[in-house]
Amino acid sequence: MVFGLAPTLDPLFVAYVLVFVAAAVASFASVAATSRIEDPDTRRGLAALLLTTGGWATAHVGFLLAPTVELSLGFYTVGLIVGLAAVGPWLYFTSAYTGRTLHHDRRLRTGLLAIFLVIVAVKVTNPYHYLYYEPALVAQPFPHIAVRHQLFHWLVMGLSYGLSMIGYFMLYERFRQVSYDTRPLFALASVTILPVVLDVVGFATPHLIDITYEPIGVALFAVGLLFVYFYRFQAVQATGDRDEPTILLDQRDRIREYNDGAEGLFPCLRAGTALGEPLWSTLPDVADALAADAPTIALDRPGGVEYYHVSERDFAVDQPQLGRLVVLRDVTEREQYRRELERQNDRLESFASMVSHDLRNPLSVAMARLELARDDRDDENLETTADALERMERLIDDVLALARHGQPIDEPTTVDLSTIAQSAWMMVDAPDADLEIEETRLLAADADRLQQLLENLFRNAVEHGRSDADASLTVRVGPLSEGFYVEDDGRGIPADDREAVLESGYSTATHGTGFGLAIVSEIATAHGWSIAVTESDEGGARFEIRGVEPE
């Protein structure tokens, strides 16, 4: 049956219309203010929530002002659909704001969308089955269409509020994780729940109409969040969405906020007594680290010394800069490994230097005496002794080089591969060999150690690459997609020996020390590169160095 609704100037009716108009205007007007939110997911979630809430309040206004029952019920059904749709943006917003990833879970979003579509289908087809609500014209508290909700409506309401409570739980948990005074934010979040009381009164008594009042709460929440407590809203997210200890400083480097991680790391932050205090006086080690080239601090903890890398970024809310966000990242495992590696390298170099020193003195004496003896007589035994002593000297030099070249590269520089290769070639005695460089390339490396690597590869090719001592030899240096190669056209390295040649002490030559290619391997490892031994197109040896950072 179609009949009209008589217009009324009942004060309560006017109040209803004005309140929902205000909620719609506040929601739509607040959408533009979300552009100030730094996190894009939080910004998108809150903007979508405000758009759906504004649409929800607008549908309520249409429901109240519509001149016919059919049109009024049409607005009411639209409000039911848009109101249900608001649950999705609410969960998206709260998940993003609290640093969770629920809003990125594709299976969860697909499942919720499927449930939403089923419920919408039931709502739209209500005039055919009345499983959702039944309308009736009533006069109290003013003439309007009363909607008597059926079981399906209450089931959907229970599901909606159940899902919404997940968002409230995420917010409240985040508010408890920070030292900042979050009571205003607690209150704002609670405002979105209070309209449930009006829903219950409207259902149980004739004093209020039976309609959802949630758009009012969301509108108040948005205005308070975006225009009154926006700095606090951003500060809580900036510090609370990180697992790492985080400290928020103001423009004068005073402590404004910190999370549970920072409080657990620094006892002086407990009980909030450090709020408003300068960073340099409260946490001088952190302040010093921010100004240092190597921003790492060591802290004595119950389980031992822990190391933290200190970093910072500007924190801004609607202004060029409101302060700095200081983040401490636990690098204990990496730092302990680095320090142990340094200790091992220092011990190794000390040992090698000691061995070198202790051996060189008697070696020098022996070689000097040998030269005196050789001046008096020519003996094959003396020649053999001289060769042995020279081999000992080469071994000492190679052991010392192996210890030193294996240390990590701290500060690589930009070098030209072709220039380094030419310098290395000049240090190799190769009268019957040629060097070819296919293409120049800039890369990040330690110039001295890279030259040593190339010298050893060139020397290996010249000394071991020829099957005939009188044969010519060409050594080639060329680029790879992630590094470079050194190859020759000599006799090559048997497949079974290619891994072994990079090990210390391996040599196929009678007078070789076996450390030349081991030093190459150590230098590559110190740079973080990998090295592989294979065969060139001409059948010679080919060494491929990969993992090289181009410049």
Side-chain angles (χ1 to χ4, degrees), residues 170-185:
M170 289 190 287
L171 285 179
Y172 292 150
E173 185 181 47
R174 179 48 45 86
F175 293 159
R176 289 196 305 268
Q177 290 176 342
V178 295
S179 61
Y180 211 65
D181 181 9
T182 57
R183 286 176 296 181
L185 300 181

Side-chain angles (χ1 to χ4, degrees), residues 166-432:
I166 296 175
Y168 292 119
F169 172 78
M170 289 190 287
L171 285 179
Y172 292 150
E173 185 181 47
R174 179 48 45 86
F175 293 159
R176 289 196 305 268
Q177 290 176 342
V178 295
S179 61
Y180 211 65
D181 181 9
T182 57
R183 286 176 296 181
L185 300 181
F186 267 111
L188 285 177
S190 300
V191 165
T192 62
I193 303 176
L194 290 180
V196 176
V197 177
L198 301 180
D199 293 348
V200 173
V201 173
F203 169 75
T205 73
H207 303 300
L208 296 176
I209 66 173
D210 189 3
I211 196 173
T212 51
Y213 294 85
E214 195 63 33
I216 302 171
V218 176
L220 292 173
F221 172 75
V223 171
L225 203 67
L226 295 171
F227 299 101
V228 182
Y229 296 106
F230 186 65
Y231 180 93
R232 197 167 308 206
F233 166 76
Q234 285 282 77
V236 169
Q237 183 176 29
T239 55
D241 66 352
R242 296 177 179 272
D243 294 329
E244 303 99 338
T246 305
I247 302 170
L248 180 62
L249 308 176
D250 64 12
Q251 288 176 304
R252 297 181 180 179
D253 280 355
R254 294 175 301 187
I255 298 174
R256 288 291 305 271
E257 171 63 85
Y258 47 84
N259 62 2
D260 286 351
E263 185 173 330
L265 198 61
F266 302 106
C268 62
L269 298 180
R270 293 170 187 168
T273 56
L275 291 175
E277 296 297 322
L279 179 68
W280 62 266
S281 61
T282 307
L283 300 172
D285 290 345
V286 176
D288 291 342
L290 290 174
D293 294 332
T296 301
I297 61 173
L299 300 176
D300 289 325
R301 304 284 288 161
V305 178
E306 294 181 358
Y307 299 91
Y308 289 85
H309 175 80
V310 184
S311 61
E312 63 175 327
R313 70 174 179 85
D314 291 342
F315 177 73
V317 178
D318 245 11
Q319 296 183 24
Q321 181 180 344
L322 285 180
R324 295 187 294 168
L325 194 66
V326 179
V327 180
L328 293 93
R329 182 165 54 89
D330 189 346
V331 293
T332 301
E333 184 175 348
R334 187 190 71 183
E335 189 67 16
Q336 288 176 340
Y337 174 78
R338 185 186 69 81
R339 290 170 182 262
E340 179 60 27
L341 190 61
E342 284 186 352
R343 286 193 293 268
Q344 290 179 357
N345 286 332
D346 290 342
R347 288 195 298 267
L348 181 59
E349 182 173 3
S350 176
F351 173 76
S353 298
M354 179 187 66
V355 171
S356 173
H357 178 269
D358 291 348
L359 288 181
R360 283 187 192 278
N361 286 338
L363 182 62
S364 299
V365 173
M367 293 183 71
R369 294 297 181 92
L370 179 62
E371 287 300 315
L372 292 175
R374 293 174 69 182
D375 289 341
D376 296 335
R377 54 185 291 191
D378 185 10
D379 189 288
E380 183 179 351
N381 291 329
L382 294 178
E383 187 68 30
T384 302
T385 302
D387 290 343
L389 292 175
E390 289 176 1
R391 174 174 166 76
M392 288 176 63
E393 188 172 30
R394 290 197 302 271
L395 278 169
I396 293 172
D397 291 338
D398 285 348
V399 168
L400 192 59
L402 188 64
R404 290 173 175 170
H405 288 308
Q407 295 186 16
I409 307 296
D410 292 328
E411 296 183 1
T413 58
T414 301
V415 299
D416 187 323
L417 178 61
S418 63
T419 301
I420 299 294
Q422 290 168 355
S423 298
W425 185 254
M426 294 175 62
M427 303 302 295
V428 178
D429 183 15
D432 298 323

